[in-house]
Amino acid sequence: MATPKPISPFRLSSLLRSQKDPSVAFQLFLYPNPQTNHRPFRHSLLSYDLIITKLGRAKMLPEMEQVLHQLHLDTRHRVPEPLLCHVITFYARARQPSRAVQTFLSIPSFRCQRTLKSFNTLLHALLTCRQFDAVTELAARAGEFGAPDACTYNILIRASCLRGHADRAFELFDEMRSRGVRPDQATFGTLIHRLCENSRLREAFELKEEMFREFKLEGCVTIYTNLIKGVCKIGELSWAFRIKDEMVKKGLKLDAALYNTLINALFKAGKKEEALRVLEEMREGGCEWNSVTCNVMIGEYCRENNFEEAYRILDGVEGVKPDVIGYNVFLGWLCKEGKWSEAMDLFHDMPRRGCAPDVVTYRTLFDGLCRWRQFREAVVVLDEMMFKGYAPLSKNLNAFVSELCQEGNFELLSTVLSDLTSKGKICNEGIWDVVLSMVCKPEKVPESFELLDALVLA
């Protein structure tokens, strides 16, 4: 039998690029020529780049680190900074900020120089992981790697906005201009978004005009959408449509986020016919529904008590299905209308529909069941909620325990408190205060002590 021709470094790169399965690609990288394992394989820099990128995107971080260690020892290669920037980004996506920092610090050991590019990448990684104090601390070292650019300032401005420090964000905006760093659309977009969130609309529109006038920058769809959200928030729908018309004149393509904002605002204002016209315009403009559109429509149909149409949206009649937010809205309305049995059925059907319940789902259903005094069903939901690592709101849990006490359902109360103490570890002082005040009454002293003994032993 003829011996297979050995794979060359060039051929390995081609195979790695075409391999879709990162696990198979990793094994191929480690053992490209298993029949000649006694010879060390001289991997190309491209092969290193390809496999590190594949493993990082697949969140196979231990395997990625194994390849990085090999690359670190392979002194034939001077590792390009962008490759290590990708590694920093992969750690950020995995919410491992300390590993991102370690990678940044280790860049010189890969025979590579740290520049503003890797500095900005680390800054953004820390922002992604919401390490705001670390962002501030690192920002003080910006000058070590070159003069801060627009990317640097955009990250710092965004960090300030996310912390609620709008004044600091505008200080940074003034600083970047004083240093001759030109703001871009991302800079204005972040600031306008923050102003609209705080209903500082006059300042937001002034900033938009400054962007046009002083920097000759055109507004993007995101900026206009934030402005529309801001005016819809205060009920100025005619103003919102003027902004939309301005977008059309400028040739900007309206997206689903913008249409969803307008449709939702019109529904909330009781202008259903106008909302449906905008929905039709959305279709005619070739803009497809997304999960948010479904959520908006579910909310409107539920407000009308038209649950049949809401179910149709839930079933994906428009070619797209809602996300967990849409299910939570639906469950909330079913519970509000006393349709707790239907709510339970929908809750149990969510996994089959490809939507996993979240903490809001459990809390919505638990609160709804308690409101309609379906305590045994509420206990089942509570038990599953705690098993998933979630917990109800303290005030609602206390109220639930109080209702059980008032009802005199000590058997169910004992089960609940035992579960809270042994599984969830969320039995707070308020709950015990409620229990002691309700069960320790003269006429209930014997059974009260029996209950407390059982709870202590649980």
Side-chain angles (χ1 to χ4, degrees), residues 70 74 112 124 135 140 176 185 193 242 254 265 269 323 390 457:
Q70 183 174 326
D74 195 343
C112 176
H124 189 266
V135 169
M176 72 184 294
Q185 280 188 337
H193 174 70
R242 286 200 297 272
L254 310 187
D323 55 21
Y390 303 139
L457 292 173

Side-chain angles (χ1 to χ4, degrees), residues 77-119:
H77 301 299
R78 294 176 62 87
V79 182
E81 189 181 26
L83 173 55
L84 297 171
C85 288
H86 286 155
V87 173
I88 292 171
T89 300
F90 294 143
Y91 281 126
R93 290 175 183 169
R95 298 301 186 266
Q96 296 188 22
S98 61
R99 299 294 293 157
V101 172
Q102 289 172 16
T103 302
F104 176 75
L105 295 176
S106 71
I107 286 177
S109 69
F110 283 89
R111 303 160 294 281
C112 176
Q113 183 179 356
R114 288 178 297 193
T115 70
L116 190 64
K117 180 177 180 61
S118 55
F119 175 83

Side-chain angles (χ1 to χ4, degrees), residues 12 16 23-34 36-37 39-41 43 48 51 55 63 66-67 70:
L12 177 61
L16 290 174
S23 297
V24 174
F26 178 56
Q27 292 303 313
L28 181 60
F29 177 86
L30 293 179
Y31 310 108
N33 292 309
T36 57
N37 263 345
R39 293 183 184 177
F41 191 88
H43 291 90
Y48 280 113
I51 192 60
L55 295 173
E63 293 83 354
Q66 184 178 336
V67 177
Q70 183 174 326

Side-chain angles (χ1 to χ4, degrees), residues 189 192-193 196 201 221-231:
I192 289 172
H193 174 70
C196 290
L201 296 177
V221 173
T222 302
I223 289 176
Y224 278 106
T225 301
N226 281 321
L227 291 169
I228 287 176
K229 285 181 179 178
V231 297

Side-chain angles (χ1 to χ4, degrees), residues 337-372:
E337 296 299 318
K339 299 177 181 291
W340 58 267
S341 181
E342 288 185 40
M344 286 287 286
D345 290 342
L346 180 58
F347 167 72
H348 289 304
D349 201 34
M350 284 178 66
R352 184 189 66 79
R353 290 171 172 268
C355 185
D358 64 5
V359 64
V360 177
T361 313
Y362 283 101
R363 287 177 174 177
T364 300
L365 188 57
F366 175 75
D367 294 347
L369 291 169
C370 291
R371 184 185 306 122
W372 294 99

Side-chain angles (χ1 to χ4, degrees), residues 159-205:
S160 296
C161 287
L162 287 173
R163 298 187 83 174
H165 300 165
D167 291 341
R168 175 57 183 156
F170 279 95
E171 287 175 7
L172 288 164
F173 180 59
D174 292 337
E175 179 185 309
M176 72 184 294
R177 290 187 296 176
S178 68
R179 290 189 174 185
V181 179
R182 179 180 170 82
D184 57 19
Q185 280 188 337
T187 317
F188 285 101
T190 300
L191 292 170
I192 289 172
H193 174 70
R194 185 62 189 175
L195 290 170
C196 290
E197 275 193 332
N198 292 342
S199 297
R200 295 165 60 178
L201 296 177
R202 183 181 60 81
E203 295 168 80
F205 279 92

